[in-house]
Amino acid sequence: MNPSHPASNQVDREVAVTRISDTQWQAVADDQMVGCGDASRRPDGRLFVSVDVWQDADFDLVATAMLADLAVPLYTVVDEADPASTAAWQRVGFAVERREWGYVVPTDPQVTGLGEVQPPAGVTVLPAGEAQEAPLLALDRVVRDEVEASVGWCSMPAEVLPRPAGTTVVDSSQYAVARQGDEYVGLIRVKRLPRQPRIGLVAVRADQHRRGVARALLAHALGELHRSGTATAWAEVTETNTAATALFEGIGARRSGSTLELVRR
């Protein structure tokens, strides 16, 4: 445990921030917890930080204590509709790195226009739960290597999940895949959340681009959701990913909010 970082942000009120574990900090005033900080390492290796305080004035105290203990680069994510949070992180040295659009995606094929979409010749779509783990993992590694060699995997939406080192596919039952011969050439991951399903990833091997594989995977996944009575799904797309933006907006997806990723280097 590191020494406390005492500071005062109000008259007769002293706030002490203490690191209580490798990834957690706690702010205490008058023997009461008034805030906390957390650090989470994502599967791509980046370290994301968050601060939760009861009073806005305590934010800088917790953030400054965390920054003193952690090595850069550090990342955080904020809702763009909350400019106060963005300003608070910028005040302690963070800068906006990228924007991620949130989309409400219709599932009705009469709205998406995907009702008649079929996989390209020689390609079949295996429903979620039918993919074999070995070829799924092989495709996942190929796709990640291709993304990393181009725009970088850090530009892709990432869920904060505890995973063993090197593990990228946590639940294979969430994946539908496009198969060509004995190989998987594309995948879509849909997490069936109670409030609204989330399309976490649509990816196609580079040598299979521009064949309609991604549209076929979307047609399948959204069709399954529609038949189960789900009207919409949710997806996030990085602002600079023009291909994904065109794909989702082309099927009637509607932008509904955005998040900002900030970094301190």
Side-chain angles (χ1 to χ4, degrees):
M1 182 179 294
N2 288 349
S4 299
H5 302 263
S8 175
N9 67 331
Q10 292 181 7
V11 176
D12 299 327
R13 180 176 182 271
E14 185 177 80
V15 178
V17 183
T18 304
R19 188 175 190 174
I20 61 174
S21 74
D22 288 344
T23 61
Q24 293 180 311
W25 289 254
Q26 189 176 85
V28 175
D30 300 326
D31 297 323
Q32 299 289 324
M33 189 172 75
V34 297
C36 59
D38 181 79
S40 302
R41 192 167 298 280
R42 293 192 173 182
D44 59 14
R46 294 180 297 160
L47 190 63
F48 278 71
V49 293
S50 63
V51 171
D52 185 12
V53 290
W54 279 246
Q55 297 184 22
D56 292 343
D58 295 332
F59 177 93
D60 288 15
L61 301 176
V62 178
T64 300
M66 295 175 69
L67 298 179
D69 292 333
L70 298 172
V72 294
L74 297 171
Y75 299 83
T76 193
V77 174
V78 300
D79 187 337
E80 192 169 8
D82 184 4
S85 291
T86 303
W89 285 107
Q90 290 174 323
R91 198 165 57 241
V92 294
F94 283 72
V96 175
E97 177 95 334
R98 68 186 184 100
R99 174 184 285 107
E100 195 171 278
W101 294 109
Y103 282 93
V104 177
V105 186
T107 64
D108 187 342
Q110 294 187 358
V111 177
T112 64
L114 297 175
E116 303 301 321
V117 170
Q118 297 295 322
V123 175
T124 57
V125 174
L126 298 180
E130 294 188 14
Q132 295 180 350
E133 189 165 350
L136 175 60
L137 290 172
L139 173 62
D140 182 78
R141 284 192 293 269
V142 168
V143 166
R144 287 175 179 272
D145 288 345
E146 290 174 345
V147 171
E148 193 58 47
S150 54
V151 297
W153 193 258
C154 63
S155 70
M156 304 292 284
E159 300 174 23
V160 182
L161 295 173
R163 299 176 178 174
T167 301
T168 54
V169 175
V170 176
D171 183 357
S172 60
S173 68
Q174 296 178 3
Y175 292 77
V177 299
R179 181 179 64 190
Q180 180 171 268
D182 295 330
E183 295 183 308
Y184 293 168
V185 297
L187 57 84
I188 184 168
R189 183 179 73 232
V190 179
K191 191 169 185 178
R192 297 281 191 127
L193 299 172
R195 187 174 63 86
Q196 190 175 48
R198 179 180 182 271
I199 302 171
L201 178 65
V202 184
V204 177
R205 216 170 62 188
D207 62 352
Q208 298 293 322
H209 285 181
R210 302 185 183 279
R211 295 187 63 207
V213 176
R215 280 178 62 83
L217 286 165
L218 266 177
H220 167 82
L222 294 176
E224 289 289 302
L225 291 174
H226 181 67
R227 284 187 287 274
S228 70
T230 300
T232 60
W234 179 260
E236 294 103 10
V237 178
T238 299
E239 182 181 40
T240 56
N241 192 338
T242 55
T245 298
L247 178 64
F248 279 100
E249 294 187 355
I251 62 171
R254 174 177 55 84
R255 286 184 186 177
S256 180
S258 57
T259 57
L260 298 175
E261 183 178 284
L262 293 87
V263 61
R264 186 177 192 269
R265 298 191 184 280

